[in-house]
Amino acid sequence: MTYEVKHHINGEEVASAGTERQNILNPATGETIGTLHLGGDAELQAAVAAAKTASASWGELSLARRTAVLFKFRELLVANTDELAELVVREHGKVLSDAKGEIARGQEIVEYACGITNHISGAYTPQAATGIDAFSLRQPLGVVAGITPFNFPVMIQLWMAPIAIAAGNAFILKPSERDPGAANFMAKLWEEAGLPAGVFNVLHGGKEMVDGLLNHKDVDGISFVGSTPIAKHVHATATANGKRVQALGGAKNHALIMPDANMDVVTDHLTAAAFGAAGQRCMAISVAVAVGDAADIVVERVAAKAREVKVANGMEAGADMGPLITEASRDRVKRIITEAETDGAAIVVDGRDLVVADHENGFFVGPTLIDHVKREMSAYAEEIFGPVLVVVRVDSLEEGIEVINSNPFGNGTCIFTDSGYAARKFTRDIKVGMVGVNVPLPVPLANHSFGGWNDSLFGEHHIYGEDGLRFYTRNKAVTQRFPERKDASGASFNFESRNNG
């Protein structure tokens, strides 16, 4: 049986006014499992109007009442993890344990938002001048929109919405058209938690819908996660319209492996970080920069482990890796592997011809390891977003740092070493926003903020954590005096300061 995914506007499921629809596919089978309503201007206007109305009253509620909704939402998220994770597996293809892990990481941001009372307090300066007190406070932007990618249909919306909502904003989510069901599922959890209608809305659509949000006069802020070309477009368009923007782009994450590293730890973590979720993670390790003698060991051991990865339907017990999200994604990954082979790289483990039994129409590519990759090859230059690990050989720590710093992306990186000197030099010299030391996926905890440098981030705010709270609020400074009537005069034509106050 198939299902329909409609818009969620002002507390109701809303069909598109137009007739445009898109099939929702199960990537493991290639079968149609649902139909998505694609919206246009009518749905956009309705959602923004509902959010604008709701934001006025929601932003005036006490923090205690707002956080009560957040705590209830967190309980519902935990209670519905299994059902939500299975929905993610059907539409995205990732394995069930990974889908549950995604939900758990998103839950951490919800818990951070539950503590909004501690995070949002301003500063107070009594008697800044005689009889004058000064203080600052943070207030919500109003209506904010989140545009999210397919690879984490739950977690990335939770990077945005809980903090935005806790801070007093109304939120409009525009999820990926490839796996849209989780967005509507979450909308129902928000309502069950007691969130008023209009505070959380879901719009489905393509570029037209994105551009509508970027240009709408009543949308005050835009959060985006996706590819770098679209992140640039989002940032340029929204800022030109006077909106606050955080736009996270693509990645080409490197792991630098020193010869003194524990190779069992290195190769276990490289295998998982390269091939988990079929490489469709913005924090996947897609490049192993191997220093000196480390290269041969890394290639030999990762090759052996790659051949042991169980590729299957994500619902199958013991599956390590599922399919790619679409047929086009599969074909693109195969094309890049072939180009690397043509350009002279060594295909050590080749996943191009993988066929999963009883899933012949699924969008599978097996784990692939490519050695002797040069920086001019497409396998290095492009963000593959597939289960492909390329190996770049270098002679020294300094050369490895130069390779990483010369890449236009600056999202995440890591070093594997037992040397405190090498680790310290790497963390200080590397021009990347998130760094791990013997940690392959350095995704910051909820109280820190997620975001890269260079072509991986456009805008000054990282996502979630303290930066997220700053993004979704405006700072206001207040200077006040309540003089007795007999002291009410005394205004001066001079510019006042604390020294003459």
Side-chain angles (χ1 to χ4, degrees), residues 106-187:
Q107 179 188 317
E108 294 175 7
I109 311 303
V110 179
E111 291 165 355
Y112 177 88
C114 287
I116 190 75
T117 304
N118 296 323
H119 306 312
I120 206 168
S121 57
Y124 188 86
T125 306
Q127 201 70 352
T130 304
I132 296 177
D133 302 324
F135 63 94
S136 61
L137 66 154
R138 303 202 70 87
Q139 293 181 310
L141 296 181
V143 176
V144 294
I147 303 166
T148 58
F150 75 86
N151 58 329
F152 288 99
V154 175
M155 184 181 72
I156 293 181
Q157 62 167 293
L158 292 178
W159 284 0
M160 304 173 182
I163 296 176
I165 289 170
N169 300 281
F171 191 85
I172 300 172
L173 174 64
K174 208 303 287 182
S176 170
E177 310 94 282
R178 298 171 184 174
D179 47 4
N184 288 50
F185 191 102
M186 300 288 274

Side-chain angles (χ1 to χ4, degrees), residues 111-272:
E111 291 165 355
Y112 177 88
C114 287
I116 190 75
T117 304
N118 296 323
H119 306 312
I120 206 168
S121 57
Y124 188 86
T125 306
Q127 201 70 352
T130 304
I132 296 177
D133 302 324
F135 63 94
S136 61
L137 66 154
R138 303 202 70 87
Q139 293 181 310
L141 296 181
V143 176
V144 294
I147 303 166
T148 58
F150 75 86
N151 58 329
F152 288 99
V154 175
M155 184 181 72
I156 293 181
Q157 62 167 293
L158 292 178
W159 284 0
M160 304 173 182
I163 296 176
I165 289 170
N169 300 281
F171 191 85
I172 300 172
L173 174 64
K174 208 303 287 182
S176 170
E177 310 94 282
R178 298 171 184 174
D179 47 4
N184 288 50
F185 191 102
M186 300 288 274
K188 294 174 182 176
L189 295 187
W190 279 113
E191 287 189 2
E192 190 176 344
L195 191 69
V199 179
F200 184 88
N201 305 275
V202 181
L203 287 173
H204 298 288
K207 184 178 186 300
E208 178 186 346
M209 187 65 76
V210 170
D211 286 341
L213 290 167
L214 302 183
N215 288 289
H216 201 292
K217 64 181 179 61
D218 290 330
V219 175
D220 302 293
I222 299 284
S223 295
F224 172 85
V225 177
S227 69
T228 288
I230 302 201
K232 288 181 177 180
H233 168 73
V234 167
H235 184 258
T237 305
T239 52
N241 287 315
K243 304 185 190 308
R244 185 173 291 188
V245 188
Q246 53 180 185
L248 280 69
K252 193 72 176 181
N253 303 316
H254 299 65
L256 192 148
I257 302 102
M258 297 295 293
D260 65 352
N262 182 323
M263 289 300 168
D264 290 330
V265 171
V266 169
T267 52
D268 278 349
H269 285 291
L270 272 185
T271 304

Side-chain angles (χ1 to χ4, degrees), residues 141-484:
L141 296 181
V143 176
V144 294
I147 303 166
T148 58
F150 75 86
N151 58 329
F152 288 99
V154 175
M155 184 181 72
I156 293 181
Q157 62 167 293
L158 292 178
W159 284 0
M160 304 173 182
I163 296 176
I165 289 170
N169 300 281
F171 191 85
I172 300 172
L173 174 64
K174 208 303 287 182
S176 170
E177 310 94 282
R178 298 171 184 174
D179 47 4
N184 288 50
F185 191 102
M186 300 288 274
K188 294 174 182 176
L189 295 187
W190 279 113
E191 287 189 2
E192 190 176 344
L195 191 69
V199 179
F200 184 88
N201 305 275
V202 181
L203 287 173
H204 298 288
K207 184 178 186 300
E208 178 186 346
M209 187 65 76
V210 170
D211 286 341
L213 290 167
L214 302 183
N215 288 289
H216 201 292
K217 64 181 179 61
D218 290 330
V219 175
D220 302 293
I222 299 284
S223 295
F224 172 85
V225 177
S227 69
T228 288
I230 302 201
K232 288 181 177 180
H233 168 73
V234 167
H235 184 258
T237 305
T239 52
N241 287 315
K243 304 185 190 308
R244 185 173 291 188
V245 188
Q246 53 180 185
L248 280 69
K252 193 72 176 181
N253 303 316
H254 299 65
L256 192 148
I257 302 102
M258 297 295 293
D260 65 352
N262 182 323
M263 289 300 168
D264 290 330
V265 171
V266 169
T267 52
D268 278 349
H269 285 291
L270 272 185
T271 304
F275 306 133
Q280 298 173 120
R281 293 171 173 158
C282 57
M283 291 302 290
I285 295 297
S286 55
V287 183
V289 182
V291 178
D293 295 340
D296 288 341
I297 301 172
V298 166
V299 170
E300 179 183 0
R301 295 193 187 183
V302 171
K305 293 177 185 297
R307 296 186 181 102
E308 296 173 353
V309 173
K310 181 178 179 179
V311 184
N313 187 318
M315 293 300 297
E316 185 173 326
D320 297 312
M321 191 188 101
L324 292 165
I325 187 70
T326 64
E327 183 179 15
S329 296
R330 179 198 65 191
D331 294 346
R332 177 178 174 274
V333 170
K334 287 185 175 183
R335 184 259 300 168
I336 293 174
I337 297 169
T338 300
E339 288 175 357
E341 185 176 37
T342 301
D343 291 341
I347 311 300
V348 181
V349 180
D350 191 344
R352 285 174 288 183
D353 297 326
L354 175 74
V355 176
V356 176
D358 299 322
H359 291 74
E360 289 79 7
N361 294 321
F363 311 135
F364 291 94
V365 175
T368 299
L369 178 64
I370 309 177
D371 194 10
H372 299 288
V373 171
K374 305 302 181 184
R375 284 187 265 178
E376 62 271 16
M377 296 179 182
S378 60
Y380 177 80
E382 295 187 33
E383 182 183 21
I384 302 175
F385 231 57
V388 180
L389 178 66
V390 305
V391 179
V392 174
R393 295 174 177 242
V394 297
D395 294 326
S396 66
L397 169 65
E398 290 75 14
E399 185 183 356
I401 291 173
E402 186 277 326
V403 167
I404 299 170
N405 284 346
S406 66
N407 192 278
F409 297 111
N411 194 54
T413 188
C414 65
I415 184 172
F416 287 96
T417 183
D418 282 344
S419 166
Y421 166 79
R424 187 174 189 274
K425 180 174 178 58
F426 183 84
T427 56
R428 291 183 62 82
D429 291 357
I430 210 70
K431 297 176 181 177
V432 175
M434 294 174 284
V435 182
V437 176
N438 297 316
V439 175
L441 288 166
V443 179
L445 296 175
N447 55 312
H448 298 284
S449 297
F450 182 104
W453 291 7
N454 308 329
D455 280 357
S456 294
L457 177 71
F458 302 90
E460 63 182 77
H461 293 92
H462 288 199
I463 207 164
Y464 71 71
E466 292 183 358
D467 249 19
L469 180 60
R470 283 191 288 268
F471 178 80
Y472 291 119
T473 57
R474 292 187 179 98
N475 189 64
K476 179 180 287 184
V478 179
T479 305
Q480 66 180 20
R481 174 171 58 184
F482 297 99
E484 295 184 26

